[in-house]
Amino acid sequence: MPDLKQMPDVKQLRLLGVVATTAIGVYVCYLLAWPFLPALTWALVLAIILSPAHRWVERRVGNRNLAALISVSVAAIAVGLPLALVAQQLVREAVNGATYLEEVIRGWDAVGFMSGYPTLSAIAQWIENQFDPAGSVAAFVQWLTGQSTSLLRGSIYQVAMFGLTFYLLFYFLRDRQRGLQAVAGLSPLRAPETAYILSRFAETVHATLLGTVFVAAVQGTLGGLMFWWLGLPTPVFWGLVMGLLAIVPVLGAFVIWVPAAVYLALEGAWASAAILTLWGGVIIGGIDNLLYPMLVGNRLRLHTVVAFIGAVGGIVLFGASGLVLGPAVIAITISLIDVLKTRLTDRPKAAAARAGELQHQSVTD
């Protein structure tokens, strides 16, 4: 006959059952939410960015539903119009740019150009034999042309995610206080610690989006305008590429405009090469040093290497939304470590203070 004393308590079994059921429910909720991660992420990011302006609208209108509708409508127009205009030209510009690059590579005899330099000529010959740059670009053109069909098919999904983003944004703006209260109620942390974590998340979003992305957009726009003014091909495409590269720490717009300036110099367009070099080095590079400290300041508080891992790793793991989620996850994790260190540091101090109080009471007694 089994020993009843050794059997688990019924309350413990019930507690384990509740924990297991909760864990399964959380996992299923994760599976349900995963397809909507991009829309959820960008809706939350926009809600954080638009919150000050929305509060102003809400005070003027006096109706939460109408205020949220106004804010969402303005945001949809401000975001949707530029995206539609850029997307309309992007694939066509990319194909034209790659085709032009293929023609340039095929028409430029690098080995003959470097014939006076045997070492460089041998390197150029080896690169041409091993990698076939013109053939690689031609294959890229064919792939890019094929992707235009896939992009058209995928545009239905993108439009759906775009609409869902602003649908969620409406509720994030209208019910932001209830949402914050719900997060605070579900958080296992103390109220000040939860407020600290939420503030770090908001700071990271501001620093990443307003700082990194806005500065990169300005740099890409300036680079594309200069490409257009100098008559270089597909300025929209190369401007977009420069903007995307400017987002990634360590890299930057110079990855595109420096080879373009070298190409212009090799073609004998020295004035254009000098203008592009000055524009890229002084204006495009200077914008980063001017705007980034103003918009970001010390809010990101991540080392360049850590920011690089967060941005690139986030994009690889989460897609485009990882641009924000990557640095945010790292910032929140570091903040949680700070909270844990504070608790571990305060615990001996609290124990020592308690021991001092007991000793004082024993002496007085």
Side-chain angles (χ1 to χ4, degrees):
M1 208 177 153
D3 189 357
L4 296 177
K5 293 182 179 180
Q6 295 180 353
M7 292 183 66
D9 187 77
V10 176
K11 292 183 178 180
Q12 293 181 347
L13 288 175
R14 288 178 177 175
L15 179 60
L16 288 175
V18 172
V19 171
T21 305
T22 304
I24 294 172
V26 170
Y27 178 68
V28 173
C29 289
Y30 156 78
L31 294 178
L32 292 173
W34 180 257
F36 306 101
L37 181 64
L40 286 166
T41 301
W42 293 115
L44 182 59
V45 166
L46 288 173
I48 293 172
I49 298 298
L50 295 174
S51 183
H54 174 68
R55 285 197 295 267
W56 181 86
V57 173
E58 202 171 47
R59 286 195 301 269
R60 296 296 184 276
V61 174
N63 184 288
R64 291 192 303 128
N65 288 300
L66 181 58
L69 182 61
I70 293 172
S71 298
V72 169
S73 301
V74 172
I77 294 172
V79 174
L81 270 178
L83 282 178
L85 292 175
V86 171
Q88 190 176 13
Q89 300 293 330
L90 183 56
V91 174
R92 186 175 62 186
E93 291 260 358
V95 172
N96 292 339
T99 304
Y100 178 82
L101 186 61
E102 178 191 357
E103 295 174 355
V104 170
I105 292 176
R106 290 192 184 280
W108 186 44
D109 184 12
V111 177
F113 180 79
M114 299 178 182
S115 57
Y117 307 92
T119 303
L120 295 178
S121 179
I123 292 174
Q125 184 65 53
W126 181 84
I127 292 175
E128 186 173 336
N129 293 335
Q130 295 293 324
F131 298 102
D132 186 19
S136 300
V137 174
F140 175 69
V141 171
Q142 294 178 356
W143 175 83
L144 201 59
T145 305
Q147 287 301 305
S148 60
T149 305
S150 300
L151 183 65
L152 183 61
R153 289 197 302 266
S155 62
I156 299 175
Y157 172 79
Q158 300 298 333
V159 169
M161 284 295 106
F162 184 83
L164 183 59
T165 297
F166 289 96
Y167 171 79
L168 295 171
L169 177 61
F170 175 86
Y171 292 103
F172 284 174
L173 289 175
R174 192 193 69 174
D175 303 326
R176 63 189 184 281
Q177 294 298 333
R178 292 173 58 186
L180 291 173
Q181 292 171 2
V183 171
L186 293 172
S187 173
L189 302 175
R190 300 164 185 163
E193 294 169 345
T194 302
Y196 171 64
I197 297 298
L198 291 176
S199 67
R200 283 296 294 128
F201 177 75
E203 287 175 351
T204 305
V205 168
H206 276 279
T208 302
L209 200 67
L210 290 182
T212 306
V213 176
F214 180 76
V215 172
V218 172
Q219 289 181 303
T221 301
L222 291 173
L225 287 173
M226 181 51 65
F227 270 49
W228 169 76
W229 191 71
L230 293 176
L232 290 169
T234 60
V236 174
F237 172 73
W238 293 118
L240 181 63
V241 173
M242 281 187 274
L244 292 175
L245 289 173
I247 291 174
V248 182
V250 182
L251 298 180
F254 70 90
V255 175
I256 300 299
W257 66 257
V258 167
V262 172
Y263 164 74
L264 289 173
L266 293 176
E267 288 290 309
W270 294 101
S272 297
I275 292 172
L276 182 57
T277 301
L278 289 173
W279 184 264
V282 177
I283 303 301
I284 298 178
I287 284 293
D288 188 21
N289 298 325
L290 177 65
L291 290 181
Y292 192 82
M294 293 170 56
L295 296 173
V296 177
N298 296 320
R299 286 189 292 183
L300 190 57
R301 286 186 272 174
L302 293 177
H303 189 272
T304 302
V305 175
V306 179
F308 173 81
I309 294 173
V312 178
I315 292 173
V316 172
L317 187 61
F318 300 110
S321 55
L323 179 66
V324 175
L325 288 179
V329 168
I330 291 179
I332 290 174
T333 303
I334 294 174
S335 301
L336 289 171
I337 293 173
D338 290 339
V339 169
L340 182 61
K341 287 169 60 179
T342 302
R343 286 195 180 187
L344 294 176
T345 304
D346 290 345
R347 184 172 295 176
K349 293 180 180 179
R354 179 61 180 165
E357 290 177 3
L358 293 174
Q359 184 178 6
H360 178 71
Q361 290 177 1
S362 63
V363 171
T364 55
D365 291 343

